[in-house]
Amino acid sequence: MIAKLLPIALLAAGLHAADDWPQFRGNPQLTGVATSALPAALKLLWTYDAGEGIQSSAAIADGTVYVGVESADLLAIDLATGKLRWKYHAKDGIDESSPLVHDGVVYVGDIAGTLHAVRTSDGKVLWTFKTDTEIRSSPVFAEDRIFIGSYDGNLYCLSVKDGKVLWKFTTTSYVHATPAVSNGMVYIAGCDEIFRGLRISDGKEMFEFPSGGYTGASPAMEGQWAYFGTFNNDVAGADLARKKVAWRYENPERQFPFYSSAAVSGDRVVLGGRDKVVHCLNAKTGKPFWSFATKARVDSSPAIAGGRVYVGSNDGHLYVLDLATGKKLWDFEAGSPLSASPAIGGGRLVIGSQDGKIYCFG
């Protein structure tokens, strides 16, 4: 009987791993699309009080939630129960840098400019790498390498084994956004108003073009397209085959920056704006499909699962919207701004709030 059950258990473990949300935006292309299904009607399953504000978005891997806290703590919390497994204290506060989990290690950056590689089993540090100033970018893994941006103006490519620099690329301003990885390339939309494509193997710049604005949002990649909002109060759809911005969208009534990173699914691009609105745009033309108004800025980056959009707002609400129509299906009042982004994995949604509460729904 044990021999017969073993393959089933391994299969289940494999399916669970496929349901993970191991990094910011869920995958190296930063699409914000979950592989895990959520119940049609969400229920609050547990909360955890981290003590200080949370702007870092959670990662979910192998039944554990990893969250960075402004207190400088990296928390590992049991996804099923909400119980703390371990706590690792970084050098300085963890702000917007969100954890990456890969092969038994969790990586996260702090405001002191240090990237930490911590063992998932017990929270023991394996190595650290120091940049010259703060890290708000989230780490991304590809081809045995870790990619991370720093406010020192560099995008770093590090060995996953020991954190040694394999190459770095220097821009002319902060690298705030998380890099996206696709088809042997790493892409950054920089604060220097330049969109770049670099070769993973050696960091050689393969192309660049003006992004049209200071960019804090991370690019979402779909095929040969990249989507990102700017501080020039618009959203850009970039055609990488033509190496140019193909379309721009701005709210015709209210001009505010777009800080939220986009989610992209099929022909739809969804992101929040500091105009207090969630926007859904046509991926090829930038024409609006729908918009949904909240009561405060939307810096939270949406997640998409099962034809629904999940997004926080600084009005303190978590919203569930229909992807096709933008109709509100459900909301939860946390009572404190939700600028962190939802993570969806293992059939559950996790999001942290600025008052230090972590919420798990399923």
Side-chain angles (χ1 to χ4, degrees):
M1 180 64 72
I2 293 176
K4 290 181 179 179
L5 289 176
L6 184 58
I8 297 174
L10 291 173
L11 177 62
L15 289 173
H16 177 76
D19 279 353
D20 285 347
W21 186 278
Q23 66 157 82
F24 182 61
R25 313 305 294 132
N27 54 62
Q29 295 77 41
L30 310 184
T31 63
V33 176
T35 57
S36 178
L38 287 173
L42 289 181
K43 295 181 180 179
L44 180 63
L45 301 178
W46 54 259
T47 61
Y48 180 91
D49 191 347
E52 290 195 31
I54 298 168
Q55 298 195 72
S56 172
S57 302
I60 301 172
D62 300 321
T64 303
V65 177
Y66 301 91
V67 184
V69 187
E70 291 177 351
S71 62
D73 290 325
L74 173 65
L75 307 177
I77 300 169
D78 185 84
L79 178 63
T81 65
K83 302 296 184 184
L84 183 70
R85 288 186 169 176
W86 52 255
K87 180 187 298 186
Y88 168 81
H89 195 71
K91 185 174 182 179
D92 207 339
I94 300 171
D95 197 82
E96 293 168 274
S97 184
S98 300
L100 158 73
V101 185
H102 175 74
D103 197 21
V105 183
V106 55
Y107 306 84
V108 72
D110 67 20
I111 293 300
T114 300
L115 178 68
H116 304 259
V118 179
R119 201 159 55 196
T120 58
S121 59
D122 55 11
K124 302 299 183 184
V125 65
L126 297 175
W127 54 258
T128 61
F129 173 77
K130 183 72 171 68
T131 73
D132 290 338
T133 188
E134 63 195 80
I135 293 175
R136 295 178 182 271
S137 172
S138 301
V140 177
F141 169 84
E143 299 183 13
D144 294 326
R145 295 161 185 232
I146 301 293
F147 300 91
I148 187 75
S150 170
Y151 266 48
D152 65 12
N154 291 303
L155 175 71
Y156 292 92
C157 174
L158 309 175
S159 166
V160 71
K161 180 181 178 181
D162 53 17
K164 294 294 193 305
V165 177
L166 300 176
W167 56 257
K168 69 177 181 179
F169 184 90
T170 303
T171 73
T172 58
S173 188
Y174 311 131
V175 181
H176 175 99
T178 297
V181 175
S182 181
N183 298 320
M185 299 276 287
V186 56
Y187 301 96
I188 49 173
C191 296
D192 58 2
E193 303 187 14
I194 301 292
F195 187 92
R196 291 182 168 89
L198 312 173
R199 196 160 59 191
I200 283 178
S201 59
D202 57 8
K204 180 180 179 181
E205 184 180 75
M206 304 306 291
F207 67 83
E208 67 168 50
F209 55 82
S211 62
Y214 182 98
T215 305
S218 305
M221 310 296 301
E222 182 66 40
Q224 286 295 301
W225 285 76
Y227 306 94
F228 53 90
T230 79
F231 273 75
N232 200 34
N233 307 331
D234 63 15
V235 181
D239 183 344
L240 304 187
R242 294 191 291 158
K243 300 178 177 58
K244 62 182 290 188
V245 172
W247 56 256
R248 294 188 182 280
Y249 165 83
E250 66 175 37
N251 186 332
E253 299 174 354
R254 295 166 52 82
Q255 280 69 58
F256 284 87
F258 287 87
Y259 190 66
S260 165
S261 296
V264 55
S265 178
D267 65 348
R268 292 172 187 252
V269 177
V270 185
L271 76 170
R274 290 189 167 174
D275 57 1
K276 307 180 182 179
V277 176
V278 181
H279 300 263
C280 180
L281 311 175
N282 184 295
K284 288 298 187 282
T285 67
K287 301 297 183 184
F289 282 120
W290 52 258
S291 62
F292 175 81
T294 76
K295 296 179 181 178
R297 65 170 56 177
V298 184
D299 284 349
S300 176
S301 301
I304 295 174
R308 297 184 174 193
V309 176
Y310 301 83
V311 64
S313 170
N314 278 29
D315 67 9
H317 287 251
L318 172 68
Y319 293 98
V320 182
L321 311 175
D322 184 87
L323 178 60
T325 66
K327 178 184 177 182
K328 186 178 79 170
L329 302 175
W330 183 82
D331 76 301
F332 171 82
E333 185 174 1
S336 182
L338 298 174
S339 56
S341 307
I344 299 173
R348 301 192 172 191
L349 182 150
V350 178
I351 190 169
S353 68
Q354 288 189 18
D355 67 356
K357 299 290 196 308
I358 300 168
Y359 299 93
C360 177
F361 303 89

